[in-house]
Amino acid sequence: MAHQNDEDTLSEELESRLDDLFGEDDRFSEGPVTDESAQDYPLSELKNLVLSIDWEITDDVLQKFIGQIKDLKSTYKDDKINLTFLQILGSLGEYIKTNRGKAHPKTFKILNSVFSQFDDVVLNDDMQDGEKKKILRAEMNKYKVLREQIAKDKAAK
């Protein structure tokens, strides 16, 4: 009997904690996406596409990704730093589209890294250009190392 009570108490406590973590809470409930909120976060669609590519590589997702990169290039046409981030992302997208499951395993990690840093640069209005360039340079180096590794792997075959 005491054993059953312990299990019931444990179950109730577990459910309570799960409700605390995943229950409905105003902090996490998002209202409908409006044009204004989309303008506040211009990379929302790109972020969704990067996550989709991470999950499953489909023609539709890759086409949308490449299209979104093209749209953002026109949005940021006057910002060399953001354009360079977008060029790297576009190049990685094209490589993934061409090679699919045969793409180098680090490609997806670098795609996520480049997007994450690009996201930080876009969202941080107070960031100085020198800091943005430093972040971009680090991502460019990762990208170059990946390209060299892909070339080396192709030569070995």
Side-chain angles (χ1 to χ4, degrees), residues 4-156:
Q4 184 64 33
N5 263 350
D6 288 345
E7 283 183 17
D8 290 343
T9 304
L10 183 62
S11 290
E12 288 174 17
E13 187 176 325
L14 179 61
E15 282 190 39
S16 173
R17 288 185 181 185
L18 287 172
D19 284 344
D20 289 345
L21 286 173
F22 300 110
E24 301 227 0
D25 189 338
D26 289 339
R27 293 177 299 166
F28 300 111
S29 63
E30 294 182 22
V33 176
T34 62
D35 286 340
E36 185 177 314
S37 63
Q39 287 175 347
D40 290 345
Y41 184 56
L43 304 180
S44 61
E45 181 65 22
L46 186 61
K47 182 177 187 173
N48 290 335
L49 292 168
V50 168
L51 294 172
S52 295
I53 290 171
D54 230 11
W55 183 254
E56 183 179 14
I57 304 169
T58 65
D59 286 334
D60 185 45
V61 169
L62 290 168
Q63 281 305 118
K64 287 179 182 176
F65 178 81
I66 292 166
Q68 188 65 31
I69 294 292
K70 186 177 179 184
D71 292 346
L72 287 169
K73 281 182 177 179
S74 69
T75 300
Y76 294 110
K77 65 181 181 269
D78 297 327
D79 187 327
K80 280 187 167 188
I81 294 170
N82 288 345
L83 274 177
T84 306
F85 272 110
L86 289 166
Q87 287 172 336
I88 294 170
L89 288 168
S91 179
L92 290 168
E94 291 290 344
Y95 171 73
I96 292 168
K97 182 180 175 188
T98 302
N99 293 285
R100 302 283 176 152
K102 297 177 185 173
H104 194 282
K106 288 186 179 179
T107 304
F108 303 97
K109 183 178 179 180
I110 291 174
L111 177 74
N112 283 304
S113 176
V114 172
F115 174 77
S116 177
Q117 296 303 317
F118 176 52
D119 188 42
D120 287 347
V121 165
V122 168
L123 293 179
N124 192 343
D125 293 333
D126 298 335
M127 189 180 295
Q128 300 296 316
D129 279 352
E131 183 65 22
K132 290 178 183 181
K133 287 177 182 176
K134 183 178 175 184
I135 292 168
L136 175 60
R137 209 170 299 120
E139 294 307 310
M140 286 175 65
N141 287 337
K142 291 178 193 176
Y143 174 69
K144 286 178 184 176
V145 168
L146 174 66
R147 284 184 54 165
E148 290 168 2
Q149 185 62 49
I150 291 168
K152 192 187 303 182
D153 291 349
K154 277 186 180 181

